[in-house]
Amino acid sequence: MRVLGIESSCDETGLALYDSEAGLLAHALHSQVAMHADYGGVVPELASRDHVRRILPLMNQVLEEAGVDRAGIDGVAYTAGPGLIGALLVGASVGRSLAWGLDVPAVGVHHMEGHLLAPLLEADPPEFPFVALLVSGGHSMLVRVEGVGRYALLGDSLDDAAGEAFDKTAKLLELGYPGGPAVARLAEQGDPTRFRFPRPMTDRPGLDFSFSGLKTFTLNTWQAHRDEEQARADIARAFQDAVVDTLLIKCRRALDETGLDRLVVAGGVGANRALRQGLETMLEKRGGRVYFPRLEFCTDNGAMIAFAGCLRLQAGQVETPAIEVRARWPL
Ligand code: KG4
Ligand code: ZN
């Protein structure tokens, strides 16, 4: 079965063609980052309009690369939420219409399920069950994954998501948008011993996350040392160390509590090198294993949606032809 995947939940238009036998045939992505940079964040209306412009050319590019024509598409998967409602509607409308025109089934995919299953696109994928750490711009979650569609939420973010905390820290340190990669780059030049930020909610039981308090530490420290360029890197380092440490502590706890030894990491923050190294070391010590998607599939992409949609369609998921999307949607 060949499934066309469409991702348009935020500021990335991603298209991909996944074949249940041959694997990923082709994928293409357009990032709107440059367009939103002037505004310091994603402007929803601009995002929707750009998805309208990009989806069909990207689809044609993917089909051409895969050497498949439209008649070779057996199903369509699109991100149905959570995300920006207008942006989601663009992908959903194109996906549903295309499926209707081709007389093939269409399926609306949960964006976080896409992220969660992305490591399964790699060679030597993890077996079920596993614990998944999902850390993106909108979510920080720990999930126990028994199989496709069988997810138990272990921990969730109570306020700012991990990626959001990176983005806000970047803004405070005047590093521009998007912030995660910029903070991470600067942190590499920072002195890890200079400032120490708290590891939020690690001194009590539970697996929930709260990163919003770190903003205050960043702001106060930066205000006290603004005249000093090195302080910027030292703060970036203190912030990143606090987030990474907190994630490591919660992952360890989730593995202890579930008795599992496989950890899957996905979402944009999963691209963070310090986090990847920390988790590799921790899992090695425990005799377990950590699985990441390749870097380009950590952040939003069409491949994860095509893949999750293919699994759903193969499992016989059927939907009404209505175009429905959800800005908020529990996993
Ligand atoms: O998964 P994603 O592309 O979009 C959402 O679904 O939110 O994640 C984007 C988030 C942004 O907040 C971005 O700052 C963060 O991932 N991010 C990073 C890194 N690369 C992207 N955060 C820390 N370190 C990175 N290297
Ligand atoms: Zn995402």
Side-chain angles (χ1 to χ4, degrees):
M1 175 177 228
R2 276 195 208 120
V3 176
L4 181 81
I6 306 173
E7 157 62 31
S8 72
S9 67
C10 190
D11 60 346
E12 242 108 45
T13 320
L15 272 289
L17 193 62
Y18 181 81
D19 184 313
S20 55
E21 301 296 315
L24 189 63
L25 300 180
H27 63 98
L29 187 87
H30 174 77
S31 170
Q32 303 176 355
V33 157
M35 187 178 80
H36 298 293
D38 291 346
Y39 305 91
V42 179
V43 183
E45 183 58 25
L46 292 182
S48 313
R49 286 167 189 262
D50 202 52
H51 287 307
V52 172
R53 279 191 289 270
R54 305 285 174 183
I55 289 185
L56 292 178
L58 284 173
M59 178 185 80
N60 291 335
Q61 186 184 325
V62 161
L63 291 177
E64 196 175 311
E65 250 181 70
V68 171
D69 61 21
R70 287 188 193 186
I73 299 173
D74 304 313
V76 179
Y78 57 89
T79 303
L84 300 171
I85 199 83
L88 289 166
L89 273 169
V90 177
S93 308
V94 174
R96 282 265 159 218
S97 312
L98 189 70
W100 192 70
L102 294 172
D103 197 21
V104 297
V107 65
V109 171
H110 194 293
H111 180 78
M112 296 313 287
E113 179 177 46
H115 275 304
L116 181 108
L117 298 175
L120 275 66
L121 278 165
E122 303 304 322
D124 192 17
E127 278 173 32
F128 297 115
F130 54 76
V131 171
L133 172 71
L134 300 178
V135 270
S136 71
H139 298 86
S140 317
M141 294 169 141
L142 277 161
V143 184
R144 183 189 170 107
V145 180
E146 297 289 343
V148 176
R150 293 168 60 207
Y151 312 125
L153 188 65
L154 303 172
D156 206 349
S157 54
L158 302 180
D159 40 54
D160 292 355
E164 190 178 1
F166 267 93
D167 294 335
K168 288 182 174 171
T169 293
K171 212 167 198 171
L172 290 172
L173 294 177
E174 296 150 56
L175 296 174
Y177 167 86
V183 172
R185 262 195 311 277
L186 193 61
E188 284 182 16
Q189 292 147 39
D191 174 357
T193 60
R194 172 116 184 253
F195 304 115
R196 187 178 163 84
F197 289 4
R199 278 55 177 155
M201 298 190 56
T202 52
D203 55 354
R204 59 186 112 153
L207 293 166
D208 288 336
F209 302 99
S210 163
F211 290 115
S212 75
L214 290 176
K215 281 197 299 276
T216 317
F217 283 86
T218 302
L219 185 63
N220 291 346
T221 317
W222 181 226
Q223 275 175 348
H225 300 274
R226 280 190 81 91
D227 48 345
E228 197 199 316
E229 194 48 37
Q230 180 58 35
R232 207 198 297 258
D234 297 341
I235 293 168
R237 179 61 185 260
F239 166 81
Q240 178 171 277
D241 284 354
V243 173
V244 168
D245 241 16
T246 305
L247 294 174
L248 292 180
I249 292 167
K250 297 281 165 129
C251 284
R252 188 181 305 132
R253 210 176 270 177
L255 293 167
D256 285 344
E257 284 181 16
T258 56
L260 297 173
D261 61 4
R262 283 183 293 271
L263 179 71
V264 157
V265 183
V269 183
N272 185 277
R273 203 182 311 165
L275 176 64
R276 292 170 90 98
Q277 276 169 359
L279 288 169
E280 293 270 12
T281 310
M282 180 179 102
L283 268 294
E284 207 171 291
K285 268 192 209 145
R286 296 174 66 97
R289 208 177 137 190
V290 59
Y291 299 80
F292 302 98
R294 72 194 79 164
L295 278 180
E296 63 180 328
F297 292 165
C298 278
T299 44
D300 292 348
N301 64 85
M304 66 186 194
I305 302 303
F307 178 59
C310 184
L311 295 180
R312 291 254 169 201
L313 289 171
Q314 281 185 312
Q317 184 164 329
V318 221
E319 293 184 353
T320 64
I323 296 172
E324 282 170 333
V325 294
R326 297 202 229 175
R328 288 172 180 277
W329 185 6
L331 183 69

PDB file of all heavy atoms in Angstrom, residues 12 111 115 136-138 163-164 166-167 179-181 184 267-269 271-272 298-300, ligand 1:
ATOM      1  N   GLU A  12       5.630  24.260   8.719  1.00  0.00           N
ATOM      2  CA  GLU A  12       6.367  23.428   7.798  1.00  0.00           C
ATOM      3  C   GLU A  12       5.369  22.697   6.901  1.00  0.00           C
ATOM      4  O   GLU A  12       4.415  22.113   7.409  1.00  0.00           O
ATOM      5  CB  GLU A  12       7.157  22.378   8.578  1.00  0.00           C
ATOM      6  CG  GLU A  12       8.631  22.472   8.401  1.00  0.00           C
ATOM      7  CD  GLU A  12       9.340  23.011   9.640  1.00  0.00           C
ATOM      8  OE1 GLU A  12       9.017  22.558  10.747  1.00  0.00           O
ATOM      9  OE2 GLU A  12      10.198  23.885   9.473  1.00  0.00           O
ATOM     10  N   HIS A 111      -0.817  14.524  15.042  1.00  0.00           N
ATOM     11  CA  HIS A 111       0.550  14.980  14.796  1.00  0.00           C
ATOM     12  C   HIS A 111       1.563  14.323  15.743  1.00  0.00           C
ATOM     13  O   HIS A 111       2.671  13.940  15.331  1.00  0.00           O
ATOM     14  CB  HIS A 111       0.591  16.509  14.960  1.00  0.00           C
ATOM     15  CG  HIS A 111       1.927  17.120  14.729  1.00  0.00           C
ATOM     16  ND1 HIS A 111       2.447  17.340  13.472  1.00  0.00           N
ATOM     17  CD2 HIS A 111       2.869  17.561  15.594  1.00  0.00           C
ATOM     18  CE1 HIS A 111       3.642  17.887  13.586  1.00  0.00           C
ATOM     19  NE2 HIS A 111       3.927  18.037  14.865  1.00  0.00           N
ATOM     20  N   HIS A 115       5.015  11.954  15.254  1.00  0.00           N
ATOM     21  CA  HIS A 115       6.335  12.100  15.889  1.00  0.00           C
ATOM     22  C   HIS A 115       6.740  10.811  16.608  1.00  0.00           C
ATOM     23  O   HIS A 115       7.875  10.357  16.522  1.00  0.00           O
ATOM     24  CB  HIS A 115       6.301  13.232  16.918  1.00  0.00           C
ATOM     25  CG  HIS A 115       6.538  14.595  16.326  1.00  0.00           C
ATOM     26  ND1 HIS A 115       7.656  14.896  15.581  1.00  0.00           N
ATOM     27  CD2 HIS A 115       5.820  15.749  16.389  1.00  0.00           C
ATOM     28  CE1 HIS A 115       7.606  16.175  15.214  1.00  0.00           C
ATOM     29  NE2 HIS A 115       6.506  16.714  15.683  1.00  0.00           N
ATOM     30  N   SER A 136       8.497  18.668  21.742  1.00  0.00           N
ATOM     31  CA  SER A 136       8.403  19.529  20.562  1.00  0.00           C
ATOM     32  C   SER A 136       8.098  20.946  21.007  1.00  0.00           C
ATOM     33  O   SER A 136       8.182  21.276  22.194  1.00  0.00           O
ATOM     34  CB  SER A 136       7.301  19.004  19.647  1.00  0.00           C
ATOM     35  OG  SER A 136       6.053  19.242  20.255  1.00  0.00           O
ATOM     36  N   GLY A 137       7.719  21.793  20.034  1.00  0.00           N
ATOM     37  CA  GLY A 137       7.397  23.173  20.362  1.00  0.00           C
ATOM     38  C   GLY A 137       6.106  23.284  21.153  1.00  0.00           C
ATOM     39  O   GLY A 137       5.901  24.236  21.895  1.00  0.00           O
ATOM     40  N   GLY A 138       5.234  22.316  21.006  1.00  0.00           N
ATOM     41  CA  GLY A 138       3.933  22.392  21.673  1.00  0.00           C
ATOM     42  C   GLY A 138       3.735  21.377  22.783  1.00  0.00           C
ATOM     43  O   GLY A 138       2.765  21.460  23.535  1.00  0.00           O
ATOM     44  N   GLY A 163      10.304  22.675  23.842  1.00  0.00           N
ATOM     45  CA  GLY A 163      10.717  23.490  22.692  1.00  0.00           C
ATOM     46  C   GLY A 163      10.318  24.946  22.868  1.00  0.00           C
ATOM     47  O   GLY A 163      11.069  25.862  22.504  1.00  0.00           O
ATOM     48  N   GLU A 164       9.144  25.140  23.451  1.00  0.00           N
ATOM     49  CA  GLU A 164       8.654  26.499  23.703  1.00  0.00           C
ATOM     50  C   GLU A 164       9.599  27.212  24.674  1.00  0.00           C
ATOM     51  O   GLU A 164       9.903  28.396  24.511  1.00  0.00           O
ATOM     52  CB  GLU A 164       7.253  26.362  24.317  1.00  0.00           C
ATOM     53  CG  GLU A 164       6.469  27.628  24.437  1.00  0.00           C
ATOM     54  CD  GLU A 164       5.070  27.335  25.034  1.00  0.00           C
ATOM     55  OE1 GLU A 164       4.766  26.150  25.345  1.00  0.00           O
ATOM     56  OE2 GLU A 164       4.320  28.294  25.198  1.00  0.00           O
ATOM     57  N   PHE A 166      12.789  26.607  25.011  1.00  0.00           N
ATOM     58  CA  PHE A 166      13.979  26.964  24.225  1.00  0.00           C
ATOM     59  C   PHE A 166      13.708  28.233  23.411  1.00  0.00           C
ATOM     60  O   PHE A 166      14.537  29.143  23.352  1.00  0.00           O
ATOM     61  CB  PHE A 166      14.365  25.815  23.279  1.00  0.00           C
ATOM     62  CG  PHE A 166      15.387  24.866  23.854  1.00  0.00           C
ATOM     63  CD1 PHE A 166      14.994  23.717  24.522  1.00  0.00           C
ATOM     64  CD2 PHE A 166      16.745  25.122  23.711  1.00  0.00           C
ATOM     65  CE1 PHE A 166      15.934  22.836  25.050  1.00  0.00           C
ATOM     66  CE2 PHE A 166      17.695  24.250  24.228  1.00  0.00           C
ATOM     67  CZ  PHE A 166      17.284  23.106  24.906  1.00  0.00           C
ATOM     68  N   ASP A 167      12.533  28.294  22.774  1.00  0.00           N
ATOM     69  CA  ASP A 167      12.206  29.446  21.928  1.00  0.00           C
ATOM     70  C   ASP A 167      12.109  30.727  22.753  1.00  0.00           C
ATOM     71  O   ASP A 167      12.569  31.786  22.342  1.00  0.00           O
ATOM     72  CB  ASP A 167      10.897  29.195  21.168  1.00  0.00           C
ATOM     73  CG  ASP A 167      11.031  28.059  20.159  1.00  0.00           C
ATOM     74  OD1 ASP A 167      12.167  27.800  19.704  1.00  0.00           O
ATOM     75  OD2 ASP A 167      10.014  27.422  19.840  1.00  0.00           O
ATOM     76  N   GLY A 179      14.264  29.453  18.132  1.00  0.00           N
ATOM     77  CA  GLY A 179      15.277  29.574  19.160  1.00  0.00           C
ATOM     78  C   GLY A 179      16.049  28.332  19.537  1.00  0.00           C
ATOM     79  O   GLY A 179      17.206  28.433  19.961  1.00  0.00           O
ATOM     80  N   GLY A 180      15.430  27.161  19.414  1.00  0.00           N
ATOM     81  CA  GLY A 180      16.067  25.942  19.914  1.00  0.00           C
ATOM     82  C   GLY A 180      17.488  25.749  19.414  1.00  0.00           C
ATOM     83  O   GLY A 180      18.433  25.681  20.204  1.00  0.00           O
ATOM     84  N   PRO A 181      17.659  25.680  18.091  1.00  0.00           N
ATOM     85  CA  PRO A 181      19.002  25.447  17.567  1.00  0.00           C
ATOM     86  C   PRO A 181      19.976  26.561  17.961  1.00  0.00           C
ATOM     87  O   PRO A 181      21.160  26.299  18.210  1.00  0.00           O
ATOM     88  CB  PRO A 181      18.791  25.408  16.052  1.00  0.00           C
ATOM     89  CG  PRO A 181      17.350  25.060  15.874  1.00  0.00           C
ATOM     90  CD  PRO A 181      16.631  25.654  17.037  1.00  0.00           C
ATOM     91  N   ALA A 184      21.055  26.085  21.554  1.00  0.00           N
ATOM     92  CA  ALA A 184      21.913  24.898  21.622  1.00  0.00           C
ATOM     93  C   ALA A 184      23.321  25.213  21.112  1.00  0.00           C
ATOM     94  O   ALA A 184      24.316  24.791  21.710  1.00  0.00           O
ATOM     95  CB  ALA A 184      21.294  23.761  20.809  1.00  0.00           C
ATOM     96  N   GLY A 267      10.266  14.500  18.219  1.00  0.00           N
ATOM     97  CA  GLY A 267       9.903  15.912  18.331  1.00  0.00           C
ATOM     98  C   GLY A 267      11.144  16.777  18.177  1.00  0.00           C
ATOM     99  O   GLY A 267      12.272  16.288  18.341  1.00  0.00           O
ATOM    100  N   GLY A 268      10.936  18.045  17.857  1.00  0.00           N
ATOM    101  CA  GLY A 268      12.029  18.962  17.524  1.00  0.00           C
ATOM    102  C   GLY A 268      13.171  18.993  18.524  1.00  0.00           C
ATOM    103  O   GLY A 268      14.339  19.041  18.129  1.00  0.00           O
ATOM    104  N   VAL A 269      12.876  18.953  19.825  1.00  0.00           N
ATOM    105  CA  VAL A 269      13.941  19.026  20.838  1.00  0.00           C
ATOM    106  C   VAL A 269      14.782  17.747  20.812  1.00  0.00           C
ATOM    107  O   VAL A 269      15.923  17.727  21.286  1.00  0.00           O
ATOM    108  CB  VAL A 269      13.353  19.319  22.241  1.00  0.00           C
ATOM    109  CG1 VAL A 269      14.437  19.479  23.290  1.00  0.00           C
ATOM    110  CG2 VAL A 269      12.494  20.573  22.202  1.00  0.00           C
ATOM    111  N   ALA A 271      16.258  16.772  18.463  1.00  0.00           N
ATOM    112  CA  ALA A 271      17.431  17.073  17.633  1.00  0.00           C
ATOM    113  C   ALA A 271      18.570  17.636  18.479  1.00  0.00           C
ATOM    114  O   ALA A 271      19.693  17.776  17.994  1.00  0.00           O
ATOM    115  CB  ALA A 271      17.055  18.090  16.550  1.00  0.00           C
ATOM    116  N   ASN A 272      18.296  17.947  19.727  1.00  0.00           N
ATOM    117  CA  ASN A 272      19.314  18.566  20.594  1.00  0.00           C
ATOM    118  C   ASN A 272      20.441  17.577  20.923  1.00  0.00           C
ATOM    119  O   ASN A 272      20.204  16.496  21.468  1.00  0.00           O
ATOM    120  CB  ASN A 272      18.646  19.065  21.881  1.00  0.00           C
ATOM    121  CG  ASN A 272      19.615  19.819  22.757  1.00  0.00           C
ATOM    122  OD1 ASN A 272      20.372  19.226  23.516  1.00  0.00           O
ATOM    123  ND2 ASN A 272      19.602  21.121  22.632  1.00  0.00           N
ATOM    124  N   CYS A 298      13.170  14.562  13.166  1.00  0.00           N
ATOM    125  CA  CYS A 298      12.847  14.991  14.532  1.00  0.00           C
ATOM    126  C   CYS A 298      11.839  16.114  14.478  1.00  0.00           C
ATOM    127  O   CYS A 298      10.846  16.134  15.192  1.00  0.00           O
ATOM    128  CB  CYS A 298      14.101  15.488  15.256  1.00  0.00           C
ATOM    129  SG  CYS A 298      15.075  14.161  15.948  1.00  0.00           S
ATOM    130  N   THR A 299      12.107  17.077  13.599  1.00  0.00           N
ATOM    131  CA  THR A 299      11.176  18.200  13.446  1.00  0.00           C
ATOM    132  C   THR A 299      10.064  17.783  12.469  1.00  0.00           C
ATOM    133  O   THR A 299      10.086  16.686  11.919  1.00  0.00           O
ATOM    134  CB  THR A 299      11.933  19.443  12.938  1.00  0.00           C
ATOM    135  OG1 THR A 299      12.807  19.037  11.903  1.00  0.00           O
ATOM    136  CG2 THR A 299      12.777  20.061  14.040  1.00  0.00           C
ATOM    137  N   ASP A 300       9.114  18.693  12.269  1.00  0.00           N
ATOM    138  CA  ASP A 300       7.922  18.336  11.497  1.00  0.00           C
ATOM    139  C   ASP A 300       8.267  17.901  10.071  1.00  0.00           C
ATOM    140  O   ASP A 300       9.132  18.490   9.430  1.00  0.00           O
ATOM    141  CB  ASP A 300       6.964  19.531  11.459  1.00  0.00           C
ATOM    142  CG  ASP A 300       6.385  19.801  12.834  1.00  0.00           C
ATOM    143  OD1 ASP A 300       6.550  18.947  13.717  1.00  0.00           O
ATOM    144  OD2 ASP A 300       5.773  20.866  13.013  1.00  0.00           O
TER     145      ASP A 300
HETATM  146  O1  KG4 B   1       8.478  19.021  16.418  1.00  0.00           O
HETATM  147  P1  KG4 B   1       8.700  20.403  15.979  1.00  0.00           P
HETATM  148  O2  KG4 B   1       9.359  20.660  14.653  1.00  0.00           O
HETATM  149  O3  KG4 B   1       7.376  21.211  15.909  1.00  0.00           O
HETATM  150  C1  KG4 B   1       6.325  21.034  16.798  1.00  0.00           C
HETATM  151  O4  KG4 B   1       5.535  20.086  16.601  1.00  0.00           O
HETATM  152  O5  KG4 B   1       6.293  21.849  17.737  1.00  0.00           O
HETATM  153  O6  KG4 B   1       9.535  21.108  17.150  1.00  0.00           O
HETATM  154  C2  KG4 B   1       9.951  22.430  17.055  1.00  0.00           C
HETATM  155  C3  KG4 B   1      10.622  22.797  18.363  1.00  0.00           C
HETATM  156  C4  KG4 B   1      10.936  24.288  18.458  1.00  0.00           C
HETATM  157  O7  KG4 B   1      10.480  24.759  19.693  1.00  0.00           O
HETATM  158  C5  KG4 B   1      12.453  24.333  18.334  1.00  0.00           C
HETATM  159  O8  KG4 B   1      13.020  25.427  19.032  1.00  0.00           O
HETATM  160  C6  KG4 B   1      12.859  23.007  18.961  1.00  0.00           C
HETATM  161  O9  KG4 B   1      11.872  22.107  18.505  1.00  0.00           O
HETATM  162  N1  KG4 B   1      14.192  22.576  18.520  1.00  0.00           N
HETATM  163  C7  KG4 B   1      15.255  22.429  19.347  1.00  0.00           C
HETATM  164  C8  KG4 B   1      16.352  22.045  18.541  1.00  0.00           C
HETATM  165  N2  KG4 B   1      15.917  21.958  17.251  1.00  0.00           N
HETATM  166  C9  KG4 B   1      14.605  22.285  17.263  1.00  0.00           C
HETATM  167  N3  KG4 B   1      15.359  22.594  20.673  1.00  0.00           N
HETATM  168  C10 KG4 B   1      16.572  22.373  21.232  1.00  0.00           C
HETATM  169  N4  KG4 B   1      17.672  22.010  20.544  1.00  0.00           N
HETATM  170  C11 KG4 B   1      17.613  21.836  19.199  1.00  0.00           C
HETATM  171  N5  KG4 B   1      18.708  21.468  18.533  1.00  0.00           N
END
